[in-house]
Amino acid sequence: MLDVAAVAEVLLAASDPDLPAGRRDLFCLLVALHDLGKIGAQFRRMLHGEGAQTWRHWQVTEAWLRAEAMEDLICNRIGGSHLTLQPLVAAIAGHHGGPPSDTAADHRRMRVMAGPEAAADAQAFVEVCLDLWPEASLGGIDSAEARALSWRLSGLTVVADWIGSNPEWFPPAQSPASAAAYLVETRRRAARAVEEAGLLPPAPAGDWPSFAFARVDVRPMQKAVLEVPLRDGPMLAFVEDETGAGKTEAALLLAQRMLLAGKGRGLYFALPTMATADAMFERARKVMRALFAAPPSLTLAHGRAALSPEFREVREQTGWSDTVVCGPWLADSRRRALLADIGVGTIDQALLAILPTRFATLRIHGLAAKILIVDEVHELGDPYLAEELEALLRLHAQGGGSAILLTATLPLGQRARLARAFEEGAGRDFSPDPEPAYPALSIPGAAAVRDFPGVISPKGSVKVARLTMPDEAVTLIARASEAGAACAWVRNAVDDAIAAVEALRAAGVEAELLHARYAFADRKRIEAAALAAFGPEGERRGRDGRGRVIVATQVLEMSLDYDFDVMVSDLAPVAALVQRAGRLWRHMSRRPAPGRPVPRPVLHVIAPDPSRPADAHWLAEVQPRGAWVYGLAAQWRTAEVLFRAGEIVVPGGLRALIEAVHGENLLRVPEGIRASEDRAAGEAYAAAGLARLNIVKIAKGYREGGGANDDRDYPTRLGRPTRALLLVRRTPAGLSPWAEAASRAEAELLSEVSARETRFRGLALPDQSAPEIAAFTADWPEWKRAGLTVCPVGENGGICEGLRYDPRRGLLFTSTTSGA
């Protein structure tokens, strides 16, 4: 227990060096008591193999500390009341992933079963700890603040317990002369353990801006973040600018100033998808060293981080590094990944901090000392995600954290709600800022930069042209490719994308295909090829001189650095279309207009005429499958506003477009679409309500407001249920994963593919009890068998009647009986 408390001391000194001595000693005193429940006859019998425990030791910890005599003892020494002590006791007792939930009657039974000798010993140890941390004080803390502190204290206890319980760092020792003498010795071990775990953040670099891009060709937003005054206390910043304007670089420059100002000891980059997180990790690996005086720890946090070759290289480094590091303790779990100096991952890993899941407070602790940077924040605008993000910002600010939100298409209403949540969390009043200027750098409650005179996108405005049918897109792309143009066609549904590729190939155009319904190994291969063809240094023409062509779904529009000459898109809400248009004529310094094979950037949108009578099937005529991916009302408004404007004026015209489709005062839709809009409004209301129901109850404190549920029971995103398949091949030795890799576990991850559950309706998927499949899954845990359907793929790609897999086209549903 003293080992764990010594670790807590080191962690507090590193993350919050200005913490008052009374608060610091209070936390260390309580952390030292986290395993008090191991003092008892039950636990001793369990150690001797004489039976199982009726209650777990951490439950007994709370029972000892909630005894009236024990509460009197502690409060008489450190002040405060029983009501302020109790939430903090629950925080340290619940260090195995969830809060205790036992009743006072349970506590009485636990104390009786532990025995009178244990009661005396438990009290004696509490008295020892009170002497070891004499400055501990509950003074000035009321019940509400104690509940707020309980979230942070719980996370600190979990991390300290994980490190302090490691026998490699804290081996068994002889009985010491005294507890005080032992604490002196274990403090030395704790300092070394925390350092080896990678949890001692280096100091920020004292010279800024230290990035190469900040010394030449500084863009307006980057200049603004270097000059804007920072506010006192927790700080939120919105960076709103067009796609490709250097928002990430601006965020890094601002973050470096904030680090130097003591607003964080590290960073967490939260991205909308695993693919965008992988791309950001590759960038972060190259520049993060410049932020710190010594090499920082860097981790990748998402469910498939182990498949990232860049992350693997960082993990496999041995010895000293002059760039970034990631020791084995941090890399061992994606929960621990949030503890690194710099974390890069999906927004989901951060959102799990505000859901009642196991070890949520570990995530809270990991984020607390960091500047949270959320990229593509407009992608988190659906009602469920929006509620979660507001709760995350509120809790982050409550713990003293700061944040930077990056966006190209954030509606003013959503900006106001996010700002209000953060300011409320920081305990400050909030007044909405209705200023619609764009681009904009906003720090709620403080400065704002809206004066970007003469800022014009290097590519100029993007013309918008309407195509009436997909056949027109095939003709247009064929001609543009013949002229050497790099072309993209973005479709809203996977099946429409597959149909588009087949139509292009039939017309003699060798198009590639990218969507989310591939085995992960094939998707990574296709993404790498797409980046090689369309990335900043891509070779956009084939050997025959024709421009390369790709057909993709929405995976193309988020944070991926592609540059196209010609783009066709299915109609989608204007925010999505702006993101897609951001991949048009992107790198003008590398590929200026005179060298492009077409005279100007044009976004060709396949859509019906919005001026003609519209009903629920208005869009399905040109998008047979993708018409239902987005709300029909938002798509009609997009068509009405965008085709009337005839262009996307970048950046000055973006705000008006976004507000017209996603803002507060919306254009009235035709009568035939109104029922669809009403249904969507009802669904949005229900989704927001479910989010509020799921989110932890911050004000109630960890004991009453937290939980210990499985991550799968509380999703970070809502969506239609999916089914995950594990593709396998038949070999002479039995079934083998579809993909090849260094280990079977990695090969299995690379062989997974998912689709909506309804698509499998009516299909006779392989019997999971078949001998060959049973042999393949023999060593799997039950949760894995429940979550994956093993599917042998025949030589012709067949899985079962109506279902095939093709490495070039992905998972193919060929049966008319499967769901829509």
Side-chain angles (χ1 to χ4, degrees):
M1 289 193 279
L2 295 184
D3 293 338
V4 173
V7 171
E9 282 186 332
V10 178
L11 292 173
L12 286 171
S15 64
D16 196 352
D18 298 325
L19 190 68
R23 186 69 54 86
R24 179 200 63 215
D25 276 17
L26 172 66
F27 281 3
C28 294
L29 163 69
L30 292 169
V31 170
L33 303 178
H34 74 287
D35 271 349
L36 195 67
K38 289 181 177 177
I39 298 177
Q42 262 203 314
F43 191 79
R44 185 175 298 176
R45 284 196 297 270
M46 186 271 293
L47 291 180
H48 287 286
E50 297 172 358
Q53 293 176 279
T54 305
W55 283 284
R56 303 292 301 276
H57 69 271
W58 53 270
Q59 295 171 293
V60 183
T61 291
E62 188 185 36
W64 283 135
L65 294 173
R66 288 289 297 273
E68 186 174 358
M70 196 77 85
E71 290 181 328
D72 287 342
L73 168 67
I74 295 172
C75 291
N76 287 340
R77 289 283 296 272
I78 67 175
S81 67
H82 294 193
L83 290 178
T84 56
L85 178 63
Q86 289 166 3
L88 303 179
V89 163
I92 59 101
H95 61 276
H96 280 271
S101 58
D102 311 281
T103 65
D106 292 329
H107 292 157
R108 286 192 293 271
R109 286 192 288 270
M110 291 181 211
R111 293 192 291 267
V112 169
M113 291 183 70
E117 181 187 7
D121 285 346
Q123 179 171 324
F125 184 72
V126 171
E127 291 172 345
V128 166
C129 290
L130 287 166
D131 291 336
L132 292 176
W133 286 280
E135 295 188 67
S137 174
L138 270 173
I141 300 176
D142 60 18
S143 304
E145 186 178 1
R147 290 192 294 271
L149 288 173
S150 68
W151 299 98
R152 178 183 179 187
L153 179 58
S154 171
L156 172 68
T157 309
V158 170
V159 179
D161 184 46
W162 284 5
I163 296 175
S165 300
N166 188 319
E168 293 183 9
W169 290 323
F170 297 90
Q174 296 296 319
S175 296
S178 68
Y182 184 82
L183 185 57
V184 170
E185 178 61 31
T186 201
R187 279 170 171 156
R188 289 195 285 268
R189 285 193 293 267
R192 183 176 64 253
V194 173
E195 181 178 15
E196 291 182 8
L199 301 189
L200 285 183
D207 179 29
W208 65 270
S210 59
F211 298 98
F213 61 76
R215 300 191 181 101
V216 294
D217 191 27
V218 178
R219 298 185 181 186
M221 184 60 73
Q222 294 163 8
K223 185 174 186 294
V225 300
L226 292 173
E227 297 174 351
V228 67
L230 306 184
R231 76 169 301 176
D232 294 334
M235 174 182 138
L236 175 66
F238 291 92
V239 178
E240 299 175 89
D241 207 345
E242 65 165 309
T243 302
K247 292 189 295 295
T248 300
E249 292 82 357
L252 287 170
L253 291 169
L254 181 57
Q256 187 171 28
R257 291 186 62 201
M258 293 166 69
L259 288 171
L260 288 167
K263 296 188 180 301
R265 306 281 289 177
L267 310 175
Y268 182 73
F269 288 89
L271 284 301
T273 66
M274 288 188 286
T276 55
D278 288 344
M280 179 61 76
F281 183 87
E282 189 172 359
R283 296 176 70 182
R285 182 183 174 188
K286 297 173 183 176
V287 301
M288 285 300 104
R289 177 64 180 87
L291 283 172
F292 296 91
S297 55
L298 172 67
T299 57
L300 181 62
H302 62 65
R304 300 186 186 274
L307 302 180
S308 165
E310 289 78 17
F311 184 39
R312 200 155 46 229
E313 285 180 17
V314 173
R315 290 178 59 180
E316 291 172 356
Q317 287 178 161
T318 57
W320 187 85
S321 169
D322 62 354
T323 55
V324 294
V325 296
C326 183
W329 191 86
L330 278 174
D332 188 51
S333 163
R334 67 176 180 267
R335 289 186 178 123
R336 294 181 190 173
L338 297 182
L339 302 174
D341 302 325
I342 302 160
V344 179
T346 58
I347 184 64
D348 308 81
Q349 296 302 319
L351 292 176
L352 284 168
I354 50 88
L355 294 174
T357 56
R358 294 195 72 222
F359 295 108
T361 57
L362 171 69
R363 299 175 189 275
I364 294 171
H365 175 84
L367 291 170
K370 291 184 176 56
I371 299 167
L372 174 65
I373 303 177
V374 184
D375 199 7
E376 308 281 13
V377 72
H378 48 268
E379 294 292 340
L380 309 179
D382 82 65
Y384 188 86
L385 276 169
E387 290 283 344
E388 287 182 304
L389 183 57
E390 289 175 33
L392 177 64
L393 290 174
R394 186 176 288 109
L395 186 59
H396 191 56
Q398 178 179 292
S402 292
I404 303 172
L405 308 185
L406 310 181
T407 179
T409 57
L410 188 69
L412 290 171
Q414 188 182 354
R415 186 180 77 181
R417 289 189 292 274
L418 295 173
R420 180 183 297 277
F422 187 90
E423 292 298 290
E424 288 176 351
R428 300 188 291 238
D429 294 332
F430 172 73
S431 297
D433 178 8
E435 174 57 52
Y438 188 100
L441 170 62
S442 311
I443 300 175
V449 180
R450 271 61 178 278
D451 186 16
F452 292 89
V455 174
I456 300 174
S457 174
K459 64 188 174 191
S461 63
V462 176
K463 182 181 177 182
V464 177
R466 186 171 72 88
L467 303 180
T468 60
M469 294 298 290
D471 289 349
E472 295 178 38
V474 174
T475 302
L476 185 150
I477 290 174
R479 289 175 180 168
S481 174
E482 184 70 30
C487 304
W489 184 354
V490 187
R491 309 226 65 183
N492 295 339
V494 173
D495 290 332
D496 284 346
I498 294 171
V501 160
E502 291 173 346
L504 285 167
R505 289 174 182 169
V509 178
E510 190 54 37
E512 295 302 318
L513 179 63
L514 174 61
H515 55 69
R517 221 164 65 198
Y518 283 102
F520 201 65
D522 292 326
R523 177 169 171 177
K524 288 176 71 69
R525 169 181 55 79
I526 295 167
E527 285 177 345
L531 190 62
F534 306 109
E537 307 296 337
E539 179 54 60
R540 286 162 175 76
R541 298 188 183 187
R543 293 180 180 178
D544 58 1
R546 293 185 178 187
R548 297 183 186 276
V549 177
I550 188 169
V551 179
T553 55
Q554 297 89 332
V555 297
L556 179 141
E557 75 189 45
M558 288 185 288
S559 296
L560 298 175
D561 198 4
Y562 297 139
D563 182 358
F564 300 103
D565 300 311
V566 172
M567 179 175 286
V568 175
S569 174
D570 287 352
L571 179 64
V574 72
L577 291 183
V578 167
Q579 290 295 315
R580 295 174 191 184
R583 274 71 195 162
L584 265 174
W585 288 44
R586 187 175 176 89
H587 293 288
M588 297 303 294
S589 60
R590 289 187 178 95
R591 304 179 64 229
R596 301 262 179 175
V598 291
R600 66 171 298 181
V602 180
L603 178 65
H604 303 271
V605 180
I606 305 172
D609 186 351
S611 65
R612 70 173 176 79
D615 60 16
H617 299 282
W618 171 75
L619 187 56
E621 297 173 12
V622 297
Q623 287 190 49
R625 303 171 186 86
W628 322 111
V629 174
Y630 301 104
L632 188 58
Q635 296 191 83
W636 181 87
R637 288 191 179 100
T638 296
E640 174 68 18
V641 172
L642 200 55
F643 296 142
R644 181 176 296 173
E647 62 180 354
I648 301 173
V649 179
V650 182
L654 293 183
R655 180 76 79 197
L657 289 176
I658 297 303
E659 293 302 313
V661 178
H662 302 285
E664 305 290 334
N665 300 309
L666 298 174
L667 186 68
R668 187 176 178 85
V669 298
E671 187 67 36
I673 294 178
R674 204 158 301 148
S676 173
E677 183 173 41
D678 290 343
R679 281 195 302 274
E683 291 169 0
Y685 186 82
L690 179 60
R692 289 190 291 271
L693 184 67
N694 285 351
I695 290 167
V696 296
K697 308 305 181 281
I698 298 171
K700 290 186 174 182
Y702 180 50
R703 192 187 205 280
E704 303 300 328
N709 300 285
D710 190 279
D711 294 0
R712 290 168 291 183
D713 295 334
Y714 284 84
T716 56
R717 309 180 193 222
L718 290 185
R720 298 177 181 178
T722 61
R723 177 186 286 259
L725 310 184
L726 178 64
L727 305 182
V728 294
R729 307 174 190 268
R730 290 185 172 92
T731 72
L735 297 180
S736 178
W738 175 263
E740 296 181 357
S743 68
R744 172 166 163 172
E746 183 179 339
E748 289 180 358
L749 281 172
L750 288 167
S751 301
E752 289 183 27
V753 59
S754 299
R756 290 202 313 271
E757 181 70 51
T758 54
R759 298 303 304 270
F760 297 99
R761 194 175 297 155
L763 298 180
L765 291 172
D767 181 1
Q768 299 300 287
S769 65
E772 61 176 355
I773 294 177
F776 182 81
T777 62
D779 59 347
W780 281 13
E782 191 55 41
W783 63 263
K784 190 172 180 179
R785 287 197 190 93
L788 284 173
T789 302
V790 177
C791 292
V793 181
E795 290 184 5
N796 65 348
I799 295 174
C800 66
E801 185 177 353
L803 185 64
R804 298 180 60 247
Y805 185 77
D806 182 331
R808 291 193 67 194
R809 296 189 295 165
L811 195 65
L812 304 173
F813 292 89
T814 59
S815 171
T816 57
T817 62
S818 61

